[in-house]
Amino acid sequence: MAHAAVLLLLLPGLLLLLAAGQENAAPSSPSLVIAMLARNAAHSLPYSLGALERMNFPKERTSIWCVTDHNEDATLDVLQKWLESVRPLYNSVVWKAQERPRWYAEEIGPKQWPKERYEHLMKLRQEALNYARESKADYILYTDADNILTNDNTVQLLMAENKTLAAPMLDSQTGFSNFWCGITPQGFYRRTPDYYPTRNRQRTGCFPVPMVHSTFLLDLRKEESHKLAFYPPHPLYTWTLDDIIVFAYSCLASGVQAFVCNSQRYGYINVPAQPQQSLEDDKLNFVHLLLEAMVDGFPFISSQYIFPLQKHPDKMGFDEIFLINLLRRPEKRKRMLRSLYEQEISCNVLDAVDGGALNSSAIKRLGVNLLTGFYDPFSGRTLTKGEVGCFLSHYKIWKEIVDRQLDVTLVFEDDVRFESFFKRKMIRLLDDIRTAQLDWDLIYIGRKQVTADPERPVENVWNLLEANYSYWTLCYMISLQGAQKLLNADPLTKMLPVDEFLPIMADTHPNEEYKSHFGSRDLKVFSVHPLLVYPTHYTGEPSWLSDTETSTLWDDDNVRTDWSGSQKTLKDTRRNVPVGLRSTLRDEL
């Protein structure tokens, strides 16, 4: 009885302490529905679903809503396997799949959008919205199956903006993104001065825009969101039947302002395929997106439950493909090997000669001597040890070509950025050259044209020019006879940078004094146009690194060269813009 009396006396205080503890306890996370629609996306799903797995948002507060239909590929199987694997992790998983039909009645191809497809998609998005509302969810995140959220904090960052409708700006291979900055009175895209400064992050923040699509977060707690709808279109709607435009009109009619946020790197969006393109084209587009993300430093990571299909690399019809890489640059090797693998290209890695590890006496023992009177035309310095190592690396390849009697060889350095459909274009180039029986020694696949002189196109070979004075050796084709010509010049005894040596051998170099040291200058040099590769970084850009410029002089270990003002690796503003980045209205749409 005494103990009971004491407990009764203490009970009010205990209740007060408990109440205070509940008030101070951290509030639970809001509830979230992730809505994904997938069609013919088996190639991208391992990465988009892997990104959802890694989101730093409580899975017990997250529900997955997913639909797939009209598939020609393994999308249904991939989704089913993933959803079965993650079901125990999430609050709930709702999904439905339809195996037939595989096409819409009016489609001429899987990438065409007839009216029936737009209407079906709008109904599905509305179904997801209804589910979220009925579930009393606080938020719904819409995302497409080929949108890859590389930022694990995307959901929290968007929630922190406290907007009714906010989209994380997604990067792509072109000027395309998941927002518009302008709409005409008829509901079509309108180009505005704000688009590219936003898209290129020349201005950063969260900006009001008339349209967001593909991936965006909707705050269902906001009263103004209650009137939003994807289907049916608003009673006054007269614009074209398009799901993103219908939703933009609904936002306008409901007084909901959309925002696009670009202060962070959030992820990537694949450029939509054209109506006449195939599923294979769409897959190759996505591969290029994956490559671009690696250059940016945000590699796509696969799901732990489903995996990309195995690739089958080959040599594209070349006798050998070499990749030159310094052992002390493993990050470059890793990126290039994955980039080639993703494009199904096999290669032979050549450990580059590390000029920085050679002292002056070792260089001279190799028989290397500087070309008399050579000075860099921009910096005024002589050869660097990095340039010696670069030359010796390419020289090793030329020698191996001759030793192994390789008729056609492709050479990569490890700082290459690929244009889309690279492999397909290379195979066509090789076929065209053989069909035309072109007499050639070296073909630049990527280069910097030094002069503005016009270059003559080659007859019967698609997009090939006779090359004038050019820099860079980041990627080139070389024939057996071309390699033999370079070796016959005995270049180690009169060395200069390799990308000065090649124009001398082609007799396109403007310096007559340099050329006079080489007797036979009949190297037949061509270049693809448009170029198929570019450097990953240029002088002055973040992450720019040059092992040829940052070194010491070839014959003096005490003279450092850290030339951050390198002209050779400056971007060529005349014609060095990759074709994929020459944006059109279609890109932005």
Side-chain angles (χ1 to χ4, degrees):
M1 292 292 293
H3 292 299
V6 171
L7 285 172
L8 287 172
L9 289 171
L10 292 176
L11 186 57
L14 290 171
L15 291 173
L16 286 173
L17 287 172
L18 181 60
Q22 289 176 338
E23 289 178 4
N24 295 327
S28 62
S29 298
S31 55
L32 171 70
V33 169
I34 297 177
M36 175 181 281
L37 307 178
R39 184 193 181 195
N40 292 324
H43 55 284
S44 60
L45 279 171
Y47 302 106
S48 58
L49 297 177
L52 297 184
E53 289 170 27
R54 289 183 295 277
M55 273 192 183
N56 291 328
F57 190 82
K59 288 181 172 54
E60 66 273 11
R61 300 290 295 162
T62 304
S63 298
I64 302 290
W65 184 95
C66 186
V67 171
T68 186
D69 51 43
H70 294 87
N71 292 299
E72 296 179 58
D73 67 0
T75 294
L76 191 153
D77 295 333
V78 171
L79 267 178
Q80 184 170 9
K81 182 178 179 181
W82 184 77
L83 290 167
E84 288 174 354
S85 300
V86 302
R87 188 183 296 275
L89 306 177
Y90 289 95
N91 177 62
S92 64
V93 171
V94 175
W95 85 294
K96 62 180 182 179
Q98 184 178 318
E99 292 191 42
R100 294 286 188 276
R102 297 192 173 194
W103 292 59
Y104 291 94
E106 298 178 7
E107 275 186 336
I108 59 172
K111 293 300 164 184
Q112 197 211 1
W113 282 80
K115 177 181 177 181
E116 181 188 5
R117 182 174 179 183
Y118 279 118
E119 192 165 2
H120 180 61
L121 184 62
M122 287 187 283
K123 289 178 179 178
L124 291 178
R125 292 197 189 279
Q126 184 63 43
E127 190 177 325
L129 183 58
N130 293 342
Y131 169 78
R133 285 169 171 162
E134 291 163 5
S135 302
K136 307 297 183 184
D138 297 312
Y139 293 89
I140 182 169
L141 175 73
Y142 284 94
T143 186
D144 285 354
D146 60 356
N147 291 190
I148 315 299
L149 295 172
T150 54
N151 190 326
D152 298 343
N153 296 314
T154 295
V155 169
Q156 294 96 319
L157 290 168
L158 292 179
M159 288 179 177
E161 295 293 341
N162 195 29
K163 310 293 187 188
T164 302
L165 178 60
M169 193 190 80
L170 302 180
D171 294 283
S172 76
Q173 314 93 305
T174 68
F176 180 71
S177 190
N178 60 322
F179 70 99
W180 288 4
C181 276
I183 293 182
T184 69
Q186 294 77 34
F188 296 111
Y189 175 84
R190 181 169 64 88
R191 178 171 286 187
T192 69
D194 291 332
Y195 184 81
Y196 278 102
T198 307
R199 166 64 180 81
N200 297 333
R201 292 188 176 83
Q202 292 159 329
R203 63 169 193 157
T204 57
C206 263
F207 303 104
V209 292
M211 162 159 341
V212 295
H213 62 86
S214 300
T215 293
F216 51 88
L217 184 73
L218 182 59
D219 187 344
L220 301 176
R221 302 170 304 176
K222 305 275 189 180
E223 186 175 348
E224 59 184 358
S225 75
H226 298 169
K227 294 180 181 179
L228 286 176
F230 292 91
Y231 191 86
H234 191 277
L236 300 179
Y237 186 80
T238 58
W239 296 349
T240 186
L241 190 69
D242 181 302
D243 62 303
I244 63 175
I245 300 176
V246 166
F247 186 61
Y249 189 94
S250 179
C251 291
L252 181 66
S254 302
V256 172
Q257 177 62 65
F259 289 82
V260 65
C261 304
N262 69 352
S263 296
Q264 304 270 343
R265 283 270 192 171
Y266 287 103
Y268 293 82
I269 182 171
N270 198 25
V271 174
Q274 300 294 316
Q276 73 277 9
Q277 289 184 306
S278 65
L279 288 184
E280 185 61 26
D281 294 328
D282 196 42
K283 291 176 188 176
L284 292 177
N285 264 340
F286 184 78
V287 166
H288 187 50
L289 181 69
L290 182 151
L291 303 185
E292 287 293 290
M294 282 197 287
V295 171
D296 294 340
F298 300 93
F300 294 174
I301 302 171
S302 176
S303 164
Q304 60 181 312
Y305 304 106
I306 55 172
F307 305 97
L309 292 176
Q310 185 177 359
K311 305 278 185 174
H312 301 284
D314 58 51
K315 293 180 181 178
M316 301 189 291
F318 289 90
D319 295 306
E320 189 58 273
I321 299 176
F322 288 102
L323 168 62
I324 301 173
N325 168 259
L326 283 169
L327 279 171
R328 61 183 169 89
R329 299 294 181 209
E331 71 289 346
K332 288 187 173 184
R333 179 176 301 209
K334 181 180 179 182
R335 185 192 68 82
M336 276 299 295
L337 286 176
R338 184 177 176 192
S339 295
L340 292 170
Y341 173 79
E342 293 291 349
Q343 297 175 91
E344 300 194 87
I345 300 171
S346 64
C347 73
N348 181 357
V349 179
L350 178 108
D351 293 333
V353 176
D354 193 346
L358 298 172
N359 58 37
S360 301
S361 57
I363 290 175
K364 291 175 181 177
R365 281 198 301 271
L366 290 170
V368 173
N369 251 312
L370 178 71
L371 178 72
T372 303
F374 172 76
Y375 291 95
D376 183 271
F378 300 107
S379 68
R381 55 155 175 74
T382 61
L383 208 62
T384 69
K385 286 189 176 65
E387 288 171 328
V388 171
C390 179
F391 197 113
L392 290 174
S393 301
H394 286 276
Y395 186 88
K396 282 172 64 176
I397 286 177
W398 304 336
K399 193 170 185 312
E400 184 169 341
I401 289 170
V402 172
D403 291 344
R404 292 173 55 191
Q405 292 291 289
L406 303 173
D407 286 329
V408 187
T409 300
L410 184 64
V411 180
F412 289 105
E413 292 180 344
D414 62 4
D415 54 353
V416 169
R417 180 181 222 137
F418 294 88
E419 277 291 271
S420 55
F421 302 103
F422 172 82
K423 182 176 181 178
R424 182 183 291 179
K425 293 171 182 175
M426 287 299 301
I427 291 172
R428 177 176 175 179
L429 173 64
L430 202 53
D431 286 345
D432 287 353
I433 287 170
R434 286 169 172 159
T435 301
Q437 297 183 328
L438 181 69
D439 185 16
W440 66 279
D441 294 321
L442 186 141
I443 299 175
Y444 289 107
I445 308 303
R447 63 165 177 157
K448 180 176 182 178
Q449 186 181 352
V450 180
T451 67
D453 299 336
E455 296 176 314
R456 188 167 61 184
V458 177
E459 290 185 11
N460 302 321
V461 181
W462 174 75
N463 288 359
L464 195 67
L465 304 172
E466 295 180 9
N468 287 334
Y469 184 24
S470 304
Y471 279 154
W472 302 344
T473 50
L474 70 164
C475 182
Y476 59 89
M477 292 168 52
I478 185 168
S479 67
L480 175 58
Q481 70 175 4
Q484 188 66 68
K485 287 180 180 181
L486 297 178
L487 296 181
N488 290 345
D490 194 19
L492 300 191
T493 62
K494 43 200 171 186
M495 187 181 286
L496 71 172
V498 66
D499 55 2
E500 301 281 6
F501 172 62
L502 296 178
I504 286 175
M505 292 299 294
D507 206 28
T508 58
H509 201 290
N511 191 303
E512 297 297 329
E513 174 61 27
Y514 296 167
K515 290 195 292 187
S516 68
H517 293 272
F518 299 88
S520 190
R521 302 189 301 274
D522 60 349
L523 194 73
K524 297 178 178 66
V525 180
F526 302 87
S527 174
V528 297
H529 177 79
L531 299 174
L532 300 183
V533 301
Y534 293 84
T536 54
H537 300 90
Y538 296 95
T539 302
E541 292 183 346
S543 302
W544 179 78
L545 177 67
S546 173
D547 288 302
T548 56
E549 305 293 352
T550 305
S551 184
T552 59
L553 292 184
W554 77 284
D555 60 350
D556 192 337
D557 300 327
N558 297 313
V559 179
R560 299 289 307 172
T561 59
D562 186 6
W563 194 31
S564 59
S566 173
Q567 299 294 309
K568 200 170 271 190
T569 51
L570 274 176
K571 183 178 290 188
D572 187 344
T573 56
R574 293 168 304 165
R575 54 194 307 178
N576 196 42
V577 179
V579 175
L581 298 180
R582 290 177 187 150
S583 300
T584 64
L585 282 174
R586 181 71 189 176
D587 289 333
E588 297 169 32
L589 292 172

